[in-house]
Amino acid sequence: MGVTIRTATRRDLDEVVELSAELFAEDAGQRDPYTDLGWPRREGHEYFGGLLTGPTTRCWLAEVDGKVAGSLIGRIKRETTVRPARVAELESMYVRPEYRSAGVGAALVAEFMAWARGRGAKLAAVTAYAANERALAFYARNGFTPQSVQLEQEL
């Protein structure tokens, strides 16, 4: 299975929004009852449309045999005086179920990492639900290690 990675354009906006809606439904939909699962379809065109052309943001699409198999959204975060290191944040990634375990996610991450290095990032970061063991294992295989843990308690 050959995977092609390309930068998303405005023509791809509907596909980017749909992939985000699929991610929300599958990931947060199973793990966070407080996430607004309607957000991607309601506000995604404005949000993702803004980052498609941003100087510090990027969205990539993975294609297999001409079909969109997944996406990755990344951004370069501003350095702070507390931690003066440029960080590339893997904001979200989704690979459609039928393309998983076929190298699609790894190809997206590799493209993101090359882009981040080219923009002077010293670190790459990603957030995943603690209960999403498959995602955590994937990110570990791709070189990410735990840095911090956010704990929550329902009131």
Side-chain angles (χ1 to χ4, degrees):
M1 174 184 320
V3 180
T4 303
I5 306 298
R6 66 178 177 83
T7 301
T9 67
R10 288 240 177 242
R11 291 186 311 267
D12 300 307
L13 187 54
D14 287 342
E15 189 78 59
V16 170
V17 169
E18 184 55 32
L19 288 161
S20 179
E22 291 174 35
L23 171 63
F24 269 54
E26 182 179 324
D27 200 21
Q30 295 178 23
R31 296 175 179 91
D32 186 355
Y34 297 103
T35 296
D36 178 357
L37 301 182
W39 180 88
R41 290 192 176 101
R42 190 178 61 253
E43 298 185 38
H45 282 84
E46 181 178 346
Y47 179 79
F48 297 116
L51 67 78
L52 287 177
T53 57
T56 59
T57 57
R58 192 73 79 241
C59 177
W60 295 272
L61 294 177
E63 293 182 342
V64 175
D65 298 327
K67 295 180 182 171
V68 176
S71 65
L72 187 150
I73 295 166
R75 71 177 58 245
I76 304 293
K77 296 174 72 175
R78 288 188 178 166
E79 299 171 29
T80 66
T81 56
V82 173
R83 195 169 191 220
R86 184 169 287 183
V87 177
E89 178 183 25
L90 192 163
E91 183 174 306
S92 68
M93 185 176 81
Y94 183 71
V95 175
R96 290 188 163 128
E98 63 269 29
Y99 298 103
R100 293 181 187 160
S101 299
V104 174
L108 283 164
V109 170
E111 188 74 19
F112 164 72
M113 295 295 205
W115 173 80
R117 280 187 212 92
R119 276 143 192 82
K122 300 297 179 204
L123 299 165
V126 64
T127 300
Y129 286 104
N132 190 340
E133 293 175 5
R134 185 175 178 143
L136 295 173
F138 168 81
Y139 290 124
R141 283 192 310 276
N142 282 274
F144 289 87
T145 57
Q147 175 64 25
S148 64
V149 175
Q150 176 179 323
L151 305 172
E152 291 184 347
Q153 178 180 358
E154 195 163 332
L155 302 176

